[in-house]
């Protein structure tokens, strides 16, 4: 089946989730972050994801912005940087302006030039995603931005992947789903999408019943995969 639609996870896939901590660490107001920013960023991202899974399993859904704040609070305490409200606020403000990875604009433009449909499917709230898309300047090369808030749960619940089918229709294997999260790529594979895992860190493949069809180091080759 030919690919007709390319769908991307947002955070960690199109947008660099470490960018907020990395940027704040360069600012003179926050010297304590200079040698801890990578640790803060890693803790923040891990807790953010863990909280989505736990909330999905227990039915205790909340929006992704709340989860993002809770994950940051845990990370700052773990790194002995809690009790600094100015630092906390700066990191949260920067999260609304995350940088896109360098290859993203050209990659999305190439997909659109090839006549493919493009979309984001993300745990992010609509407001967060709108801020990130505008900051990255990629709104004109996206056909849709889909948030889990439409179904009230987080990935990898199949109801989230249903959002793509409800919007674009067609067979599931006409969708190329791209994520930097191995568990997300696995979940989408089990759903029936063709998947590409963007494994920037060179991590092992998750031991799950499903595997991504493609494993990439960045997004550069996505247009070639979609047209193959």
């Amino acid at each position: 089946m030919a690919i007709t639609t390319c769908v991307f996870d947002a955070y960690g896939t199109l947008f660099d989730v470490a960018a907020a901590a990395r940027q704040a660490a360069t600012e003179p107001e926050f010297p304590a972050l200079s040698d801890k920013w990578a640790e803060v960023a890693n803790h923040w991202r891990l807790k953010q994801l863990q909280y989505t899974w736990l909330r999905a399993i227990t039915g205790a859904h909340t929006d992704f912005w709340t989860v993002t704040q809770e994950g940051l609070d845990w990370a700052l305490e773990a790194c002995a940087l809690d009790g600094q409200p100015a630092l906390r606020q700066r990191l949260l403000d920067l999260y609304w302006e995350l940088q896109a990875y360098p290859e993203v604009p050209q990659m999305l433009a190439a997909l659109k030039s090839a006549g493919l449909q493009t979309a984001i499917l993300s745990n992010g709230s609509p407001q967060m995603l709108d801020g990130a898309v505008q900051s990255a300047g990629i709104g004109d090369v996206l056909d849709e931005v889909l948030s889990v808030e439409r179904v009230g749960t987080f990935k990898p619940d199949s109801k989230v992947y249903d959002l793509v089918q409800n919007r674009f229709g067609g067979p599931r294997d006409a969708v190329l789903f791209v994520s930097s999260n191995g568990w997300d790529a696995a979940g989408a594979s089990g759903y029936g999408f063709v998947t590409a895992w963007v494994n920037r860190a060179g991590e092992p493949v998750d031991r799950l019943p499903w595997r991504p069809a493609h494993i990439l180091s960045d997004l550069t080759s996505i247009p070639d995969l979609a047209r193959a």
Side-chain angles (χ1 to χ4, degrees), residues 55-99:
R55 285 182 174 276
I57 291 168
T58 59
H61 184 72
T62 189
D63 66 273
F64 197 60
W65 184 235
T66 298
V67 170
T68 298
Q69 293 178 78
E70 292 170 344
L72 175 59
D73 289 339
W74 192 98
L76 290 174
E77 183 175 349
C79 296
L81 294 171
D82 52 327
Q84 299 188 42
L87 173 58
R88 179 184 188 273
Q89 189 59 53
R90 180 59 176 151
L91 289 168
L92 292 174
D93 289 344
L94 286 167
Y95 208 87
W96 288 77
E97 305 170 3
L98 291 179
Q99 302 166 15

Side-chain angles (χ1 to χ4, degrees), residues 164-210:
V164 175
Q165 294 303 100
N166 294 340
R167 169 60 176 82
F168 293 102
R172 295 182 182 185
D173 60 357
V175 174
L176 176 62
F177 180 82
V178 185
S179 181
S180 64
N181 301 301
W183 56 269
D184 189 16
S189 293
Y191 183 80
F193 292 154
V194 178
T195 56
W197 175 34
V198 186
N199 185 15
R200 296 181 187 273
E203 296 178 346
V205 177
D206 282 315
R207 270 55 173 181
L208 293 168
W210 319 280

Side-chain angles (χ1 to χ4, degrees), residues 51-53 55-56 60-64 67 122-124 148-149 151-158 160 183:
Y51 292 161
T52 66
W53 301 330
R55 285 182 174 276
H61 184 72
T62 189
D63 66 273
F64 197 60
V67 170
S122 174
N123 281 337
V148 301
E149 288 305 301
V151 291
T153 191
F154 292 112
K155 298 177 188 176
D157 193 302
S158 63
V160 175
W183 56 269

Side-chain angles (χ1 to χ4, degrees), residues 93-155:
D93 289 344
L94 286 167
Y95 208 87
W96 288 77
E97 305 170 3
L98 291 179
Q99 302 166 15
Y101 287 103
E103 72 272 19
V104 167
Q106 184 175 353
M107 179 272 300
L108 289 173
L111 292 174
K112 293 307 299 173
S113 294
L116 295 165
Q117 300 175 113
T118 59
I120 285 174
L121 177 67
S122 174
N123 281 337
S125 67
Q127 295 83 1
M128 291 177 70
L129 292 170
D130 183 63
V133 167
Q134 289 192 34
S135 180
I138 59 174
D140 60 340
V141 285
L142 291 168
D143 293 302
E144 188 66 82
V145 178
L146 300 168
S147 167
V148 301
E149 288 305 301
R150 299 190 187 191
V151 291
T153 191
F154 292 112
K155 298 177 188 176

